[in-house]
Amino acid sequence: MNDLTIKTAIDYELPETVRNRHMIAGEWLGSADTFERRSPSHDVVVSVSAQGDAAMTERAIKAARAAFDTGVWSRISGKERAAVLLKVADLIEKNVDRIAVFETLESGKPISQSRGEIGGAADLWRYAASLARTSHGDSHNTLGEDMLGVVLKEPIGVVSIITPWNFPFWILSQKLPFALAAGCTVVVKPSEITPTSTVMMGELLIEAGLPAGVCNIVLGHGQPVGSLMSTHADVDMVTFTGSTAVGKLITQAASGTLKKVALELGGKNPQVICPDADLDSAADAVTFGVYFNAGQCCNSSSRIIVHEDIAEDFVKRVVALSRKVKFGDPLDPDTQVGAIVTAEHNAKIDRCVKAAVADGATLDLGGGTMAVAGLGEQFYQPTVISGVSPKMAIAREEVFGPVLVVLTYRTFDEAIALVNDSDYGLSAGIWSENMHTCMDFARRAQAGTIWTNTWMDGFPELAFGGVKQSGQGREIGRYGFEEFLEVKSLVLRIGRSRAPWVQQDA
């Protein structure tokens, strides 16, 4: 495998095609069938991967079950688990460039963004390591002089981790280290579109000394791999990030065994722009929020709600900034927005935009695919749409592209109503210099994360997840860690103080 060497913005050497295999019980296994991934920006084959089937998935689940039941990981000390997680964090940092190249080529995201996500993921592993050492239950010594109650927290068991294509390494690192820190064993299925960085993670886990069978990776599609991971009786929990539609299917599939399901799903995330806001900062944050990862982000700020008095001015500011954002070759370190993941998804984005215009919305900028010199047309223009009514599909449905819709409001209560008039509730934001306004918004907005005068800042310590159809459960932070724990109550009687229930004959 060759490292990518960037000579100029368009003159570089592509790495050799990587061959991905399954990782089961510490061994690398192939399959008779394979599937390939072509770069959406450069139209070259990036990876050829083994195609998992039901038998391979069964084998991975069996390995995870055996590793959990033997206690090779679940019953060792938190200190020992933390030591392995910290080694993984160090190895991630040593391999940032190698992993980032394939992340960029498979996903179409800019190389600078990939490097930031890969390197930043190390911090998630270090925080999870700290939780492995500090997790604890509770004791109750007020139950009487002859009773002691203890609440234990134990790993839930075997966890199926199913990750999406848009942030394959980062989202894996929002789940995997926390499951491992809790003492769980896992089976991982990455998206068939972006499998390589997950396989590279498997290499790092082996190098760090993770016992065989604790983490297993099966490559393939939702059918049969993901389906079996969601229904198998030996799996105790499923954690999934992806579309709301697929999340509902997983919930239905998992109901047959009543296994725990944690979901991080879609969003139609609003930002409210108040008249007293710092409009320059707000416009920059809105521009970042809608174009980051080409809008292919569950946290995209795809819906802004602007006060009528400033709406025209604010839209002009966003349009002006949008024209300055560098869309282009993902391998150029200066590129800010890269390619759309597939031609099919690019066409879907365009259909959504054209439908909005047909419904009467105003196209202020963009509104079509774009060509990048030498790379074709699997890119989409920065797009701003105003004159949007709350009932339009573009205001309610997740486009998952670089498309911003603008709604307006007159009163603050109206703004709150627009924020909450959605099936989704992943995140929401407000821009105001009045902290009373911000706090009122934070209490009333129905979302799992609220940002005030910023957008998409996050930290390993803070939980992430949504309400309504944006999901259930939480990731990262202590609350995300505790998703992978079961609570067990232990009641101890001290001394022979229990009164007999059966009456003895006199």
Side-chain angles (χ1 to χ4, degrees), residues 335-505:
T335 292
Q336 293 174 287
V337 183
I340 302 301
V341 68
T342 65
E344 294 77 14
H345 187 56
N346 208 20
K348 173 184 174 292
I349 295 169
D350 197 47
R351 287 195 300 272
C352 291
V353 171
K354 286 180 168 52
V357 174
D359 286 343
T362 300
L363 192 62
D364 296 285
L365 180 69
T369 60
M370 65 182 292
V372 172
L375 298 181
E377 296 187 355
Q378 203 161 311
F379 298 78
Y380 203 84
Q381 298 175 30
T383 298
V384 179
I385 304 174
S386 62
V388 175
S389 71
K391 298 304 179 184
M392 289 182 181
I394 198 78
R396 309 190 69 82
E397 298 173 3
E398 193 175 30
V399 176
F400 228 59
V403 179
L404 177 69
V405 298
V406 183
L407 296 91
T408 60
Y409 74 96
R410 168 52 53 187
T411 68
F412 189 70
D413 284 345
E414 182 184 355
I416 292 293
L418 288 171
V419 166
N420 293 336
D421 182 23
S422 174
D423 292 333
Y424 298 108
L426 189 57
S427 57
I430 185 166
W431 290 83
S432 171
E433 295 296 284
N434 187 323
M435 287 308 297
H436 297 288
T437 300
C438 292
M439 290 303 298
D440 189 21
F441 178 87
R443 288 178 177 272
R444 296 169 66 185
Q446 297 169 359
T449 297
I450 306 295
W451 282 293
T452 66
N453 296 314
T454 189
W455 188 259
M456 224 181 294
D457 285 328
F459 303 90
E461 293 86 350
L462 299 182
F464 174 67
V467 300
K468 298 192 279 189
Q469 293 191 35
S470 285
Q472 57 192 35
R474 290 296 180 265
E475 293 186 343
I476 68 176
R478 181 168 292 278
Y479 292 104
F481 168 68
E482 291 188 351
E483 293 284 343
F484 299 103
L485 296 171
E486 286 280 20
V487 174
K488 177 187 288 184
S489 293
L490 173 62
V491 181
L492 302 98
R493 183 175 293 276
I494 303 167
R496 299 185 179 278
S497 59
R498 182 181 178 277
W501 182 70
V502 177
Q503 298 299 313
Q504 302 295 325
D505 295 335

Side-chain angles (χ1 to χ4, degrees), residues 105-297:
L105 289 173
E106 287 188 334
S107 70
K109 67 179 59 184
I111 187 68
S112 57
Q113 181 185 324
S114 292
R115 288 172 178 152
E117 290 169 12
I118 305 301
D123 198 31
L124 294 170
W125 284 80
R126 292 195 174 102
Y127 182 69
S130 73
L131 295 173
R133 297 199 65 169
T134 57
S135 178
H136 60 85
D138 298 295
S139 63
H140 298 266
N141 62 347
T142 58
L143 307 178
E145 63 179 2
D146 60 344
M147 300 296 293
L148 178 64
V150 179
V151 177
L152 306 176
K153 293 182 179 180
E154 299 181 342
I156 197 168
V158 175
V159 179
S160 288
I161 297 177
I162 304 174
T163 56
W165 51 261
N166 56 341
F167 296 94
F169 197 88
W170 179 264
I171 291 178
L172 178 62
S173 295
Q174 288 190 161
K175 300 174 184 289
L176 179 56
F178 295 89
L180 295 179
C184 298
T185 60
V186 303
V187 178
V188 178
K189 191 199 91 65
S191 167
E192 65 276 10
I193 295 176
T194 52
T196 298
S197 62
T198 297
V199 174
M200 291 178 170
M201 174 70 84
E203 296 171 354
L204 304 187
L205 294 174
I206 291 175
E207 186 175 350
L210 188 72
V214 173
C215 179
N216 307 273
I217 299 170
V218 184
L219 309 176
H221 294 75
Q223 289 290 349
V225 179
S227 177
L228 189 54
M229 289 171 61
S230 303
T231 58
H232 202 288
D234 282 340
V235 172
D236 301 294
M237 175 181 175
V238 181
T239 174
F240 166 80
T241 296
S243 71
T244 296
V246 176
K248 291 178 180 179
L249 293 175
I250 288 176
T251 301
Q252 293 170 5
S255 66
T257 53
L258 290 180
K259 63 176 88 285
K260 183 174 183 178
V261 177
L263 304 170
E264 194 271 286
L265 307 174
K268 191 69 176 177
N269 310 293
Q271 293 195 65
V272 171
I273 318 298
C274 298
D276 67 338
D278 179 340
L279 297 185
D280 287 335
S281 293
D284 184 81
V286 166
T287 304
F288 159 70
V290 72
Y291 301 132
F292 176 70
N293 211 55
Q296 299 169 123
C297 177

